[in-house]
Amino acid sequence: MALFVAGLAASFLLQATLALNPEDPNVCSHWESYAVTVQESYAHPFDQIYYTRCTDILNWFKCTRHRISYKTAYRRGLRTMYRRRSQCCPGYYENGDFCIRCDSDHWGPHCSNRCQCQNGALCNPITGACVCAAGFRGWRCEELCAPGTHGKGCQLPCQCRHGASCDPRTGECLCAPGYTGVYCEELCPPGSHGAHCELRCPCQNGGTCHHITGECACPPGWTGAVCAQPCPPGTFGQNCSQDCPCHHGGQCDHVTGQCHCTAGYMGDRCQEECPFGTFGFQCSQRCDCHNRGQCSPSTGACECEPGYKGPRCQERLCPEGLHGPGCLLPCPCDPENTISCHPVTGACTCQPGWSGHHCNESCPAGYYGDGCQLPCTCQNGADCHSVTGSCTCAPGFMGEVCAVPCAAGTYGPNCSSVCSCNNGGTCSPVDGSCTCREGWQGVDCTLPCPSGTWGLNCNESCACAHGAACSPSDGSCTCTPGWLGDTCELPCPDGTFGLNCSERCDCSHADGCDPVTGHCCCLAGWTGNPSALPLPRS
Ligand SMILES: *[C@@H]1O[C@H](CO)[C@@H](O)[C@H](O)[C@H]1NC(C)=O
Ligand SMILES: *[C@@H]1O[C@H](CO)[C@@H](O)[C@H](O)[C@H]1NC(C)=O
Ligand SMILES: *[C@@H]1O[C@H](CO)[C@@H](O)[C@H](O)[C@H]1NC(C)=O
Ligand SMILES: *[C@@H]1O[C@H](CO)[C@@H](O)[C@H](O)[C@H]1NC(C)=O
Ligand SMILES: *[C@@H]1O[C@H](CO)[C@@H](O)[C@H](O)[C@H]1NC(C)=O
């Protein structure tokens, strides 16, 4: 079969040779020798024998001689001839009239050499040298690019990060487990990890998983491989590494460490017993133990004083009115004001507002309430109720603790009375009594000072002379006509008269004028007013 194909190709080649177009750019030519058979003449040598005379006696003095002679002969010969021969250039093969480039698997003259290149490399159709595809190197392109390089001729540096390998052909980054992104520059997104970030994160309760290993980092308060377990009792926080601070059996929040106290305790570390009189969870319940019974802060159970019994210690061991060993002694307490008489000691527990061994003394001033222990808050002389401590204000004050003086115009208890002082008199907030302005007197300041007096309480005497009026408020004098001065003690100066001496006398032939009326004091012989006329002659 192969022989047959080869034979066919050979004969085909022979035919095509004749038809190649010398103008074809892929046709090459060379000189070729060839032999032709020719008939050629030549000088054919042959041995010619002849005889000469000689001294050879034995042969009768005749010697045989040889000589080379030539005659024309003919023979077949091969002659080498030369001719230009066309054929496809190396890297091309003949196909009909054309030279076609070698296919990628062949090279050389007639494309008869098989390519050695691997991994998709092209081979130079003329030389057979390999032109490697991106990602390969070596003379047969048999080797991948060195790590860290890629591309044609392995010339490009890989850009992948975090230990990623890079595809030698494309440069594509093949991320190491735990990384993602075009350049593997990112950690796996939350909730995933591992190769291609394809593994699901198993961490619960907000734990975050390591981007490579998937190992869980638990949030405060959680532990275990997948953070599913709360911190063991007595610990809390990050890695459950903190010790709970709660005392008295308080439980601590496994996340924050905040204490949840058991009944009977409070405080941020449950370090405090419930305040007196309270018990239970968060100390939110009120104790109900009587007669000084002690109340358990956790259960509220009452532990009674000697002499009492019952769940709330409200039962006396002695009958009412008796105390002491054998309950033989009478109680000394005033029954009106007493809550109880101690059955053992006979000590009296007084009603609020009462004190003393016998509960027959009301609270001392300034105290009130249970055992008269509470200080009164009432001010300004107010009374304090011995039981409730409420204030009864002194006159002139008001308010819860009697700190507010009465407003102007009011007075008395509760400031409930209205003042009745007139003419600018002020009123005492206590009893409403009036303090009159200067010039006024009387209970409600309605009476002006009697004439001749002035000032506060009309207690000053007027000093105005010559019938002048005196101001009741300041004692100043209003002079009558003809007088002048602070106390009107000066007569008008000559030539003036009237109120304030402000008028001028208008007299001729006169010795001045009357300071009050201005009537001229005519000289003898003159009359008239003004005295301009001579007296009529008599
Ligand atoms: C918790 O444990 C991890 C791993 O042991 C450690 O790296 C980290 O520092 C710890 N954190 C704390 C607050 O102890
Ligand atoms: C209180 O009672 C006792 C005994 O009965 C008596 O001695 C005392 O004077 C009384 N005190 C007052 C303030 O009444
Ligand atoms: C004062 O006011 C109180 C309460 O409003 C009242 O009970 C009391 O009787 C008043 N006192 C007088 C003297 O008006
Ligand atoms: C009023 O006057 C009298 C006597 O002059 C004097 O004793 C008294 O203190 C005065 N009163 C006032 C309030 O000034
Ligand atoms: C008198 O004099 C006083 C003070 O100078 C003045 O206030 C008053 O008006 C005068 N009276 C008359 C009538 O001029």
Side-chain angles (χ1 to χ4, degrees):
M1 184 68 161
L3 272 178
F4 172 70
V5 169
L8 198 69
S11 64
F12 185 70
L13 201 75
L14 212 63
Q15 274 175 11
T17 304
L18 303 175
L20 281 178
N21 174 3
E23 300 296 309
D24 184 333
N26 299 320
V27 169
C28 294
S29 66
H30 63 275
W31 288 100
E32 182 186 61
S33 62
Y34 64 99
V36 289
T37 313
V38 292
Q39 197 77 352
E40 60 182 2
S41 63
Y42 69 103
H44 187 70
F46 64 92
D47 196 11
Q48 192 177 23
I49 302 167
Y50 66 94
Y51 304 97
T52 61
R53 293 171 65 100
C54 64
T55 57
D56 187 351
I57 295 170
L58 292 177
N59 282 316
W60 309 95
F61 300 105
K62 203 164 109 191
C63 292
T64 306
R65 293 276 195 267
H66 293 270
R67 156 176 93 185
I68 297 294
S69 280
Y70 294 89
K71 66 177 180 192
T72 298
Y74 294 91
R75 67 182 176 193
R76 271 173 114 89
L78 283 178
R79 179 173 305 164
T80 301
M81 304 284 282
Y82 293 92
R83 62 183 175 200
R84 181 185 289 273
R85 167 147 169 104
S86 292
Q87 68 178 67
C88 288
C89 298
Y92 293 84
Y93 68 92
E94 290 154 15
N95 184 352
D97 289 349
F98 300 103
C99 289
I100 308 282
R101 189 175 271 277
C102 297
D103 69 29
S104 57
D105 267 351
H106 295 86
W107 63 281
H110 312 309
C111 302
S112 55
N113 298 318
R114 187 161 275 280
C115 266
Q116 297 288 303
C117 309
Q118 301 177 11
N119 294 311
L122 298 175
C123 87
N124 184 310
I126 299 165
T127 65
C130 297
V131 180
C132 297
F136 294 94
R137 60 187 173 136
W139 73 271
R140 287 186 290 131
C141 305
E142 73 281 12
E143 242 186 305
L144 284 173
C145 287
T149 64
H150 77 278
K152 264 255 180 273
C154 304
Q155 291 293 307
L156 299 173
C158 286
Q159 300 189 56
C160 311
R161 317 224 352 236
H162 294 122
S165 60
C166 124
D167 185 305
R169 284 165 286 250
T170 62
E172 184 190 359
C173 299
L174 309 169
C175 297
Y179 296 94
T180 185
V182 171
Y183 300 112
C184 307
E185 73 279 19
E186 293 164 22
L187 302 186
C188 285
S192 66
H193 73 279
H196 309 115
C197 301
E198 276 172 352
L199 298 178
R200 196 178 51 83
C201 184
C203 316
Q204 303 179 11
N205 294 307
T208 55
C209 78
H210 190 273
H211 60 286
I212 298 173
T213 63
E215 199 179 340
C216 296
C218 299
W222 297 94
T223 184
V226 296
C227 309
Q229 284 142 30
C231 287
T235 65
F236 75 100
Q238 189 75 54
N239 293 358
C240 303
S241 61
Q242 290 179 269
D243 291 328
C244 282
C246 317
H247 297 284
H248 298 114
Q251 296 282 319
C252 105
D253 183 288
H254 66 102
V255 176
T256 64
Q258 196 185 4
C259 295
H260 300 288
C261 302
T262 51
Y265 294 95
M266 55 178 277
D268 54 2
R269 290 177 286 115
C270 306
Q271 74 277 30
E272 289 170 29
E273 215 173 61
C274 282
F276 184 79
T278 66
F279 75 99
F281 185 60
Q282 293 181 338
C283 306
S284 58
Q285 291 178 270
R286 299 223 140 259
C287 286
D288 191 17
C289 302
H290 295 246
N291 297 308
R292 298 175 186 234
Q294 295 278 317
C295 149
S296 155
S298 51
T299 65
C302 299
E303 190 182 325
C304 301
E305 283 263 276
Y308 294 98
K309 64 173 183 176
R312 296 187 287 140
C313 308
Q314 73 275 51
E315 290 173 46
R316 275 178 115 246
L317 288 176
C318 288
E320 277 309 312
L322 295 172
H323 80 279
C327 301
L328 296 174
L329 302 173
C331 281
C333 315
D334 181 328
E336 293 284 303
N337 310 322
T338 299
I339 293 175
S340 68
C341 160
H342 198 283
V344 177
T345 64
C348 306
T349 302
C350 305
Q351 301 266 20
W354 294 93
S355 65
H357 288 303
H358 311 292
C359 295
N360 60 352
E361 298 165 27
S362 62
C363 288
Y367 292 90
Y368 76 98
D370 218 353
C372 300
Q373 294 292 306
L374 302 170
C376 288
T377 55
C378 310
Q379 301 180 17
N380 294 310
D383 268 355
C384 158
H385 193 281
S386 63
V387 177
T388 65
S390 68
C391 304
T392 302
C393 297
F397 294 94
M398 54 190 258
E400 186 95 10
V401 295
C402 309
V404 184
C406 288
T410 64
Y411 74 97
N414 289 356
C415 303
S416 57
S417 304
V418 177
C419 287
S420 60
C421 306
N422 295 293
N423 295 310
T426 56
C427 148
S428 158
V430 176
D431 58 11
S433 61
C434 298
T435 301
C436 299
R437 291 274 299 271
E438 295 89 341
W440 297 95
Q441 61 175 2
V443 174
D444 51 4
C445 306
T446 46
L447 302 176
C449 286
S451 72
T453 66
W454 63 279
L456 275 184
N457 300 325
C458 307
N459 209 16
E460 308 284 343
S461 299
C462 285
C464 306
H466 301 112
C470 146
S471 161
S473 55
D474 60 9
S476 64
C477 304
T478 303
C479 300
T480 53
W483 297 99
L484 207 58
D486 285 348
T487 57
C488 308
E489 73 281 12
L490 303 171
C492 284
D494 280 351
T496 65
F497 75 98
L499 211 50
N500 281 0
C501 308
S502 58
E503 301 197 55
R504 193 155 281 284
C505 296
D506 187 16
C507 304
S508 309
H509 312 108
D511 180 13
C513 72
D514 184 289
V516 177
T517 63
H519 283 229
C520 299
C521 302
C522 301
L523 292 174
W526 297 82
T527 186
N529 194 28
S531 51
L533 304 174
L535 284 174
R537 260 178 224 279
S538 53

